[in-house]
């Protein structure tokens, strides 16, 4: 039903665009009375709108329209293209009244409008840029989460109207926020995805963004422009006049809550709690309970760490998203961890030993894995990583170390049992050989 609704929405917006393109004039008669506004939409309960949305609204005596650079075609290949970083979005012009009325029914959320304080010349320049975008050859663009999206294009258009004043003033000023920080702000509520992407991010997402770059999110764009002075056509600031004026609420609703839930705490409960229980005094390392408490988290960790490690390793072959290439967490999460699934199942089933091939594969993998974790710790202590690795050090690495350490404990028991069984078999063979010799001598 959701897919059908999204397809219907796409058909509706394209019909709206064709209707507007056929009927609306591409010129404004009176720029002085025309009103240009920044429209900021809050988040909704859908993933794709968690960061909100940005529009430009143009109101004249002839029309009242919003211009939306967040249009995409949702089809069967969209998810794969989005994963690859190869999705193309486009611009849409539609009636403001129709957009807000329909949005209230389909995607209810907060909507705040701020009028842009522009001169007649700046309004004309902004409008000409919008018209340029509406041309068939310019309408589509390749989406990027923070370099090229519905908000950055609106930011660039406003900057163009102000003769590059916004970019010049804010590019040299640090915001003290990184891409990872903004991800936590707007997508932290999505449990699985927030943690998965946070693990996959590499060091490029931890570089401090400039005050210009950080305006890639709707709310951050609005906050940044609220502090910005209005400019005269000659480039001089207008004293005590802000660029954004006359804020009005079109629709009430929830705006950003800034509630980033630490999902790594959940990982500690799932993986470390059973392991810590295994160290209780009344739990014998040779008993069934110990194998069960080690086997369950081992199988789960093998599934998650192994699959994610494989994905991280293959990411350069699968996707154009370079900020997901070669995360420092590859020191901890290996494709070889998939062996832990089978090993863990054997322990859960109460087996006291493993097949010989699996036994030695897991043994040397665990040794190598523990060595890699210690190297990771050494590199982290001496600050070799530019990547944010706090959760890697405090959650992921301890889980990996403990699971591999306990694997070695059980493997050592299995080897002792194999050796003992081998010695017992050898002893029986020697006794049988002596018996046969006595028979032959008699």
């Amino acid at each position: 039903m959701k897919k059908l609704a999204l397809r219907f929405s796409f058909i509706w917006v394209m019909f709206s665009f064709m209707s507007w393109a056929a009927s609306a004039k591409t010129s404004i008669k009176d720029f002085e009375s025309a009103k240009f506004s920044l429209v900021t939409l809050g988040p909704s309960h859908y993933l794709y709108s968690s960061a909100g949305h940005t529009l430009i609204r143009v109101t004249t005596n002839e029309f009242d329209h919003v211009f939306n650079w967040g249009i995409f075609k949702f089809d069967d290949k969209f998810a794969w293209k989005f994963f690859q970083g190869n999705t193309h979005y486009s611009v849409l012009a539609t009636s403001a009244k129709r957009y807000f009325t329909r949005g209230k029914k389909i995607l209810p959320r907060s909507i705040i409008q701020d009028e842009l304080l522009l001169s007649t010349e700046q309004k004309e320049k902004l409008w000409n840029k919008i018209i340029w975008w509406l041309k068939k050859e310019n309408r589509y663009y390749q989406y990027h989460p923070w370099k090229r999206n519905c908000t950055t294009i609106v930011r660039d258009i406003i900057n163009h109207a102000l003769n590059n004043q916004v970019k010049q003033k804010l590019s040299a000023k640090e915001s003290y926020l990184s891409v990872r920080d903004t991800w936590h702000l707007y997508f932290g509520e999505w449990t699985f995805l927030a943690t998965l992407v946070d693990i996959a991010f590499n060091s490029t997402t931890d570089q401090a963004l400039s005050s210009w770059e950080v305006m890639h999110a709707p709310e951050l764009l609005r906050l940044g422009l609220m502090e910005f002075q209005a400019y005269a056509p000659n480039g001089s600031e207008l004293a005590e006049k802000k660029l954004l004026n006359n804020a009005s609420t079109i629709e009430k609703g929830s705006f950003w809550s800034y509630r980033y839930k630490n999902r790594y705490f959940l990982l500690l409960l799932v993986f470390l709690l059973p392991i810590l229980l295994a160290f209780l005094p009344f739990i014998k390392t040779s008993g069934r309970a110990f194998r069960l408490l080690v086997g369950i988290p081992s199988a789960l960790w093998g599934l998650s760490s192994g699959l994610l490690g494989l994905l991280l390793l293959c990411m350069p072959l699968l996707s154009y998203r370079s900020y997901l290439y070669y995360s420092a967490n590859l020191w901890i999460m290996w494709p070889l961890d998939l062996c832990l699934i089978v090993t863990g199942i054997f322990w859960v089933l109460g087996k006291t030993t493993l097949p010989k091939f699996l036994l030695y594969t897991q043994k040397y993998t665990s040794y190598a894995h523990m060595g890699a974790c210690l190297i990771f710790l050494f590199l982290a202590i001496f600050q070799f990583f530019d990547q944010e690795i706090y959760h890697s050090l405090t959650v992921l690495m301890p889980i990996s170390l403990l699971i591999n350490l306990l694997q070695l404990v059980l493997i050592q028991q299995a080897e002792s049992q194999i050796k003992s069984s081998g010695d017992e078999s050898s002893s029986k063979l020697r006794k049988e050989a002596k018996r046969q010799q006595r028979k032959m001598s008699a």
Side-chain angles (χ1 to χ4, degrees):
M1 288 300 293
K2 289 183 179 179
K3 185 181 288 188
L4 183 63
L6 285 168
R7 287 182 175 177
F8 177 77
S9 299
F10 178 77
I11 294 171
W12 177 84
V13 295
M14 291 308 297
F15 175 77
S16 300
F17 175 80
M18 290 186 290
S19 300
W20 184 87
S23 61
K25 297 179 179 180
T26 56
S27 63
I28 297 176
K29 294 179 180 178
D30 184 11
F31 278 100
E32 188 173 353
S33 64
K35 187 170 74 171
F36 289 75
S37 303
L38 175 74
V39 180
T40 306
L41 291 82
S44 76
H45 53 277
Y46 289 112
L47 175 63
Y48 71 89
S49 57
S50 293
H53 194 44
T54 303
L55 309 166
I56 290 180
R57 183 177 184 177
V58 181
T59 306
T60 70
N61 295 327
E62 292 84 24
F63 61 85
D64 180 12
H65 282 82
V66 291
F67 298 88
N68 177 5
W69 281 265
I71 303 303
F72 59 91
K73 184 180 179 181
F74 190 87
D75 54 22
D76 295 335
K77 296 180 181 179
F78 178 81
W80 173 244
K81 287 182 179 179
F82 192 85
F83 170 78
Q84 286 185 308
N86 191 29
T87 48
H88 287 78
Y89 282 47
S90 64
V91 61
L92 168 74
T94 189
S95 162
K97 183 179 179 181
R98 184 182 301 175
Y99 182 89
F100 295 137
T101 302
R102 193 168 188 276
K104 184 178 180 180
K105 295 178 181 177
I106 297 178
L107 209 64
R109 48 182 169 171
S110 296
I111 304 175
I112 293 180
Q113 177 177 291
D114 296 278
E115 185 178 349
L116 291 162
L117 185 58
L118 302 171
S119 66
T120 302
E121 182 181 325
Q122 291 165 345
K123 290 178 182 179
E124 187 172 359
K125 198 170 183 180
L126 191 150
W127 176 248
N128 288 335
K129 194 64 176 177
I130 292 175
I131 294 302
W132 181 89
W133 269 102
L134 291 174
K135 292 179 180 178
K136 185 178 180 180
E137 62 271 21
N138 304 324
R139 193 180 306 157
Y140 294 91
Y141 67 95
Q142 188 163 357
Y143 174 85
H144 189 280
W146 65 88
K147 292 182 180 179
R148 197 72 164 165
N149 59 35
C150 65
T151 301
T152 61
I153 290 175
V154 171
R155 177 201 64 186
D156 294 345
I157 290 174
I158 294 173
N159 179 63
H160 173 76
L162 297 174
N163 295 321
N164 206 37
Q165 293 292 333
V166 181
K167 187 174 183 179
Q168 285 181 2
K169 188 172 182 179
L170 298 181
S171 290
K173 184 180 177 183
E174 278 196 12
S175 67
Y176 304 104
L177 286 175
S178 65
V179 171
R180 192 187 298 271
D181 294 330
T182 58
W183 172 261
H184 290 171
L185 282 176
Y186 300 118
F187 295 93
E189 291 290 321
W190 294 86
T191 309
F192 175 76
L193 185 66
T195 306
L196 178 67
V197 176
D198 192 58
I199 291 172
F201 274 156
N202 61 25
S203 59
T204 59
T205 63
D206 294 310
Q207 299 171 4
L209 299 171
S210 68
S211 296
W212 165 259
E213 293 170 325
V214 82
M215 293 195 297
H216 65 267
E219 186 195 22
L220 296 178
L221 174 63
R222 181 173 184 265
L223 290 174
L225 294 181
M226 282 176 68
E227 300 300 320
F228 208 77
Q229 295 294 126
Y231 277 82
N234 61 5
S236 61
E237 288 187 1
L238 298 177
E240 298 182 1
K241 289 188 177 182
K242 297 293 185 180
L243 180 62
L244 299 186
N245 288 272
N246 303 326
S248 60
T249 301
I250 297 175
E251 188 67 36
K252 292 183 179 180
S254 61
F255 247 75
W256 291 271
S257 60
Y258 300 109
R259 291 179 299 166
Y260 172 57
K261 296 182 179 178
N262 190 344
R263 304 302 180 182
Y264 289 90
F265 181 72
L266 184 62
L267 292 179
L268 288 174
L269 290 178
V270 172
F271 294 108
L272 284 187
L273 185 59
I275 293 173
L276 293 176
L277 289 175
F279 285 97
L280 291 174
F282 57 85
I283 302 292
K284 295 182 179 180
T285 56
S286 58
R288 174 71 186 276
F290 183 80
R291 289 187 177 84
L292 193 65
L293 290 171
V294 173
I296 292 174
S298 295
L300 292 174
W301 178 253
L303 180 64
S304 54
S305 177
L307 289 178
L308 187 53
L310 183 63
L311 181 63
L312 292 178
L313 191 64
C314 297
M315 191 61 74
L317 303 175
L318 301 174
S319 176
Y320 301 110
R321 298 178 183 270
S322 59
Y323 51 90
L324 300 178
Y325 293 177
Y326 309 122
S327 166
N329 289 311
L330 270 171
W331 282 93
I332 300 170
M333 312 186 92
W334 291 6
L336 282 174
D337 285 341
L338 291 169
C339 291
L340 284 168
I341 301 173
V342 182
T343 307
I345 291 174
F346 268 86
W347 302 139
V348 170
L349 294 175
K351 304 294 183 181
T352 56
T353 186
L354 300 171
K356 192 172 183 180
F357 173 77
L358 180 61
L359 180 75
Y360 289 107
T361 299
Q362 187 60 65
K363 176 181 177 180
Y364 294 117
T365 299
S366 292
Y367 275 125
H369 218 325
M370 291 178 68
C373 286
L374 294 176
I375 293 172
F376 179 82
L377 179 60
F378 173 83
L379 295 175
I381 291 172
F382 291 96
Q383 299 181 352
F384 279 88
F385 295 114
D386 294 327
Q387 182 177 324
E388 169 58 52
I389 54 171
Y390 173 77
H391 290 120
S392 304
L393 283 171
T394 57
V395 179
L396 301 180
M397 191 187 73
I399 291 173
S400 181
L401 273 174
L402 284 173
I403 284 179
N404 283 286
L405 177 63
L406 292 176
Q407 288 297 321
L408 291 175
V409 170
L410 290 175
I411 286 171
Q412 186 179 19
Q413 291 179 8
E415 286 180 324
S416 298
Q417 183 178 339
I418 292 171
K419 184 179 179 181
S420 176
S421 298
D423 291 344
E424 187 177 342
S425 298
S426 298
S427 178
K428 287 181 179 179
L429 288 173
R430 284 194 296 269
K431 288 180 180 180
E432 183 64 27
K434 288 180 180 179
R435 191 181 297 112
Q436 292 294 331
Q437 286 178 355
R438 285 196 295 269
K439 285 184 178 180
M440 292 177 65
S441 297

